[in-house]
Amino acid sequence: PVLVAMMAHLGLPLLSWAVVMSVSVSVSVSAVNGAVLPVAEHTGVEWTLVEKMAGADFWTHFDFFTAPDPTHGYISYVSEDQCREDGIINVTATGGVFMSVDARAKATGPRDSVRLTSKSSFTGGLFILDVEHIPTGCGTWPAWWLVGPGWPSHGEIDVVEGVHISTADSMTLHTSQGCTQDAVPDAKFSGTRGVGSNGKPATDCDVHAPNEYSNQGCGIIGSNTSYGTPYNTNGGGVYAVVWSPDAATGGIEVFSWPRNAIPADVAAGKPTGSGWGLPAAYFGFGAACPSTHFSDMNIVFDLVMCGDWAGNTFAATCPGKGTCQQFSDDHPEELAQAYWLVNSLAVYNTTELTTEL
């Protein structure tokens, strides 16, 4: 999300990728110089589950953020106890994790909302989110993202993000100076690059990049059914992030599949990367974008009302509804779709497998 300032989470465990080669003839295992290829270039891959967040156990993997919203949203992030009292978090009868804003009645100030930060931090991995419903509606600004300490020095990866009634997901990197994506060909992903203030593709991930809007980052926009009402109507689906931290061959890929097109290996909980197709977004590492821009990252779920993005675009996207804050106060009935419903979030590390004949 834009203009985010994160506090460092000290002392959290790091999960790093262990990469090995399994040779079928000799049945020996040896290291492969720590290299991890993007999924499109794997000859065969096996991921090992390291953390699964689902059902009643979901909350134990996260801390509840209760500080003022860094993006100036018109909400108050509250404790787990207060969330339960408000009825804005629960687990459904079918095991879905529900998170929303407090929309029980008209308000005269910021509504209570939820922001979760994972207790674990990560440098690389495969992150698979199965989600049935993403918050949508005028004034809303939800996001599922990863962020490191000392923002933006350890980076930010926005996986699921949008505002108001958008139907296209925004996938974006935010970094300090020295990470650009000019050399990455558009053929590596199915999405469309975001456009900077100069009308050209925004390929500089630096939050202070010239010719881009403030903290725009380098973004790629998904299909017109990858977010919002059409995504929810289809029963949601799965987002997958492959973050390969190797300096020479690594990168960050985002895959998005609707409910009726989830790859069989993903649906079975045994991801291999086979048949995943082209990622919706691809960001490459190398000399133009060292992998060191991204490390020690925590997973975040949040739901903002108004704020720097949704507030500043409210009049243009939701005309005739007054200001964003007035709308939030006066129309709780318009927030009926402002909720997350998450089936699971699974984090994997990886081993690369090759067969020697």
Side-chain angles (χ1 to χ4, degrees):
V2 297
L3 301 175
V4 181
M6 284 295 296
M7 296 177 62
H9 291 266
L10 301 178
L12 297 177
L14 284 178
L15 298 172
S16 61
W17 285 22
V19 182
V20 297
M21 177 179 289
S22 175
V23 182
S24 62
V25 173
S26 62
V27 200
S28 64
V29 178
S30 59
V32 192
N33 300 323
V36 183
L37 298 176
V39 70
E41 300 177 31
H42 278 299
T43 54
V45 68
E46 180 177 292
W47 278 285
T48 302
L49 182 68
V50 294
E51 189 168 359
K52 186 169 184 179
M53 310 159 202
D57 181 59
F58 184 88
W59 318 110
T60 66
H61 297 268
F62 293 92
D63 293 319
F64 283 72
F65 181 91
T66 58
D69 179 42
T71 64
H72 311 106
Y74 192 55
I75 43 85
S76 294
Y77 290 126
V78 294
S79 67
E80 180 175 2
D81 287 344
Q82 187 62 52
C83 283
R84 294 188 185 280
E85 183 176 330
D86 292 342
I88 60 176
I89 64 168
N90 64 57
V91 177
T92 69
T94 57
V97 174
F98 174 89
M99 299 175 277
S100 72
V101 294
D102 185 354
R104 293 175 293 178
K106 290 187 176 182
T108 56
R111 295 181 179 276
D112 287 355
S113 189
V114 184
R115 174 165 163 163
L116 304 179
T117 304
S118 67
K119 293 178 179 178
S120 298
S121 58
F122 306 89
T123 300
L126 167 63
F127 307 80
I128 296 183
L129 175 69
D130 185 324
V131 58
E132 286 194 29
H133 191 280
I134 299 168
T136 188
C138 284
T140 60
W141 177 13
W144 175 54
W145 48 298
L146 294 91
V147 66
W151 186 92
S153 62
H154 290 255
E156 176 183 335
I157 305 169
D158 298 332
V159 186
V160 179
E161 185 177 25
V163 293
H164 309 308
I165 54 175
S166 174
T167 62
D169 183 30
S170 296
M171 300 158 283
T172 309
L173 304 186
H174 300 270
T175 69
S176 53
Q177 188 175 13
C179 176
T180 64
Q181 297 296 307
D182 303 85
V184 175
D186 291 356
K188 276 191 169 288
F189 53 88
S190 63
T192 304
R193 292 192 190 275
V195 176
S197 57
N198 62 353
K200 297 181 180 180
T203 56
D204 193 335
C205 309
D206 180 9
V207 298
H208 301 299
N211 301 317
E212 294 183 5
Y213 299 102
S214 177
N215 189 26
Q216 181 176 358
C218 51
I220 295 174
I221 311 303
S223 74
N224 284 330
T225 58
S226 61
Y227 183 90
T229 297
Y231 191 82
N232 296 337
T233 301
N234 194 47
V238 168
Y239 295 93
V241 180
V242 181
W243 172 13
S244 308
D246 180 74
T249 62
I252 296 167
E253 297 168 285
V254 179
F255 294 83
S256 177
W257 304 290
R259 182 66 57 192
N260 58 2
I262 300 170
D265 61 318
V266 173
K270 297 180 180 180
T272 65
S274 176
W276 286 15
L278 203 63
Y282 175 85
F283 306 96
F285 294 153
C289 183
S291 62
T292 51
H293 279 283
F294 303 91
S295 63
D296 303 351
M297 303 186 88
N298 297 94
I299 301 167
V300 179
F301 286 92
D302 66 26
L303 175 49
V304 176
M305 292 297 299
C306 307
D308 294 326
W309 187 4
N312 290 332
T313 56
F314 184 82
T317 308
C318 302
K321 298 183 181 294
T323 68
C324 189
Q325 292 187 0
Q326 289 171 336
F327 181 80
S328 176
D329 282 349
D330 297 341
H331 295 285
E333 75 281 0
E334 296 288 345
L335 302 179
Q337 298 299 312
Y339 68 91
W340 290 96
L341 188 59
V342 174
N343 289 331
S344 64
L345 171 59
V347 182
Y348 299 78
N349 65 11
T350 189
T351 57
E352 188 179 3
L353 306 178
T354 61
T355 303
E356 184 179 290
L357 300 177

